[in-house]
Amino acid sequence: MFLTAPKPAQLDRQNIPNPIPHDLFAAIADLKKELNAVILAHYYQDPDLQDIADYIGDSLGLSQAAANCQADVIVFLGVHFMAETAKILNPNKLVLLPDLDAGCSLADSCPPDRFAAFKAAHPDHLVISYINCSADIKALSDIICTSANAVAIVNQVPKEQPIIFAPDRNLGRYVMQQTGRDLLLWDGACIVHEIFSERKLVELKLKHPQADIIAHPECEANVLRHADFIGSTTGLLKYVQKSDRQEFIVVTESGVIHQMQKASPLKKFIPAPPTSNCACNECPYMRLNTLEKVYLAMKNRSPEIILNESIRQAALKPMQRMLEMSL
Ligand code: 13P
Ligand code: SF4
């Protein structure tokens, strides 16, 4: 049997995908006006995506921007839990995520049924969850924190109050060290931040003795102990801008270097090496978003974040507590 290509007249117009415009930057700018949209992006996005954003930030800044957003549509360039957080905080907006598969290994490491059982086994504990978790986990939490405010939030809880800290064990250990508190940790981790090699980091520092090592608190303790500064992505960015140093070894997802280089073009930023020769210091979830997908999401007003209203309301309470405690 011979298969013949359909003649143009036979093509079903419905099945022709949207043609992608040549100038995606201009097309996205037009759609932004048409939709009255705002584009929020995390620092781990591809540089092209950071460049089309109205606001770029860490998880705390993005939450605040989403909560205060006046536009009709939020185009979220980040991962699912971040876009979901925007919807929790501002439910009347259409929240678009260009690729719904942009998940997070850390959020996935904390399934709601297992976490509910863990919480039930420790009924006297207050639950503080890192924002890198699903809406279901937020709904089971008393307070949310981010890497920017975790230490300050734990410090505001009375000393005698026992605390569960989830889902990131590395951030949890760092908070324990900074606050002197004993936290009951959930055993989750981020695939990007646990992959950095201590041995290669030390070798790199020997080659660049003048460089400051700056690291995200999601890294393992054996890597963090070499850091001159530890902070959230915004914290790291501010540190390099203020510092007199000219060289920095950056131990977090390499996307953040784009803004560092833009703010300080004469300084040198060296991405810390992962254990293998892969590009594992790029978050595979974050990098699922592309300019084409942003264009299509805006054009089709889809995929959007949809949340069960009772989960949203339960997840909103610990988010609001975080925002109040971060003023
Ligand atoms: P921050 O930008 O809040 O530091 O978080 C980093 C991160 O891992 C986001 O997924
Ligand atoms: Fe999740 Fe890690 Fe990617 Fe952040 S960098 S989105 S914590 S997998």
Side-chain angles (χ1 to χ4, degrees):
M1 184 179 133
F2 293 97
L3 290 177
T4 49
K7 296 196 177 88
Q10 293 174 294
L11 284 172
D12 177 357
R13 297 259 151 231
Q14 299 292 322
N15 289 334
I16 299 175
N18 286 319
I20 305 287
H22 186 62
D23 187 348
L24 280 170
F25 292 98
I28 290 169
D30 288 348
L31 281 169
K32 221 173 73 153
K33 277 191 212 130
E34 194 184 311
L35 296 178
N36 185 25
V38 70
I39 302 182
L40 307 182
H42 189 265
Y43 296 115
Y44 295 166
Q45 291 291 283
D46 194 78
D48 271 354
L49 298 192
Q50 293 187 35
D51 290 344
I52 59 166
D54 298 295
Y55 175 82
I56 316 168
D58 65 1
S59 304
L60 178 62
L62 287 165
S63 300
Q64 289 162 331
N68 299 326
C69 173
Q70 301 295 321
D72 297 321
V73 177
I74 297 174
V75 183
F76 210 107
L77 309 187
V79 290
H80 193 274
F81 77 80
M82 295 178 166
E84 203 175 52
T85 304
K87 188 73 180 179
I88 292 168
L89 291 165
N90 215 334
N92 297 325
K93 308 297 174 193
L94 172 69
V95 179
L96 299 172
L97 180 65
D99 191 325
L100 280 186
D101 288 333
C104 167
S105 65
L106 183 51
D108 290 347
S109 70
C110 195
D113 53 342
R114 276 181 48 215
F115 189 67
F118 182 67
K119 181 183 161 175
H122 305 282
D124 55 333
H125 282 57
L126 186 88
V127 178
I128 302 185
S129 297
Y130 185 33
I131 199 164
N132 296 32
C133 64
S134 66
D136 290 319
I137 298 297
K138 289 184 175 77
L140 290 166
S141 306
D142 297 301
I143 313 173
I144 302 301
C145 70
T146 73
S147 54
N149 60 20
V151 170
I153 284 190
V154 169
N155 272 334
Q156 288 175 61
V157 175
K159 287 241 174 317
E160 59 285 0
Q161 171 63 58
I163 298 173
I164 288 176
F165 189 92
D168 188 14
R169 62 166 187 265
N170 289 330
L171 177 63
R173 275 196 209 115
Y174 172 72
V175 173
M176 281 170 72
Q177 193 196 17
Q178 294 297 305
T179 61
R181 300 278 294 253
D182 191 20
L183 308 176
L184 183 57
L185 302 181
W186 182 263
D187 190 19
C190 156
I191 51 166
V192 178
H193 288 90
E194 66 181 353
I195 202 93
F196 292 109
S197 156
E198 182 187 12
R199 182 180 57 78
K200 289 186 185 175
L201 180 64
V202 171
E203 283 168 8
L204 198 59
K205 173 75 181 180
L206 287 173
K207 274 195 214 150
H208 301 272
Q210 298 307 320
D212 263 2
I213 296 179
I214 58 167
H216 194 278
E218 282 177 28
C219 295
E220 299 278 347
N222 67 341
V223 164
L224 287 182
R225 69 195 169 107
H226 298 282
D228 297 292
F229 179 76
I230 297 170
S232 77
T233 47
T234 297
L236 299 178
L237 183 58
K238 284 186 181 157
Y239 179 82
V240 302
Q241 282 175 261
K242 281 198 202 131
S243 170
D244 294 333
R245 295 264 167 170
Q246 293 306 307
E247 278 188 325
F248 301 88
I249 299 172
V250 182
V251 201
T252 190
E253 215 274 7
S254 55
V256 73
I257 292 177
H258 183 55
Q259 295 304 322
M260 292 177 175
Q261 201 69 78
K262 270 176 129 175
S264 312
L266 299 178
K267 294 182 180 175
K268 185 171 177 182
F269 301 100
I270 308 156
T275 38
S276 59
N277 291 329
C278 61
C280 311
N281 55 0
E282 285 184 5
C283 172
Y285 305 101
M286 288 275 180
R287 307 297 177 125
L288 282 178
N289 293 325
T290 61
L291 268 186
E292 283 87 351
K293 289 181 195 170
V294 175
Y295 165 78
L296 289 173
M298 293 175 81
K299 178 115 186 110
N300 299 328
R301 293 156 174 71
S302 170
E304 73 167 303
I305 301 290
I306 298 172
L307 272 175
N308 169 295
E309 183 54 17
S310 62
I311 296 283
R312 189 196 72 77
Q313 284 186 16
L316 179 62
K317 283 187 203 145
M319 278 301 303
Q320 282 173 329
R321 277 189 86 179
M322 174 188 90
L323 293 175
E324 286 155 17
M325 290 169 89
S326 309
L327 291 174

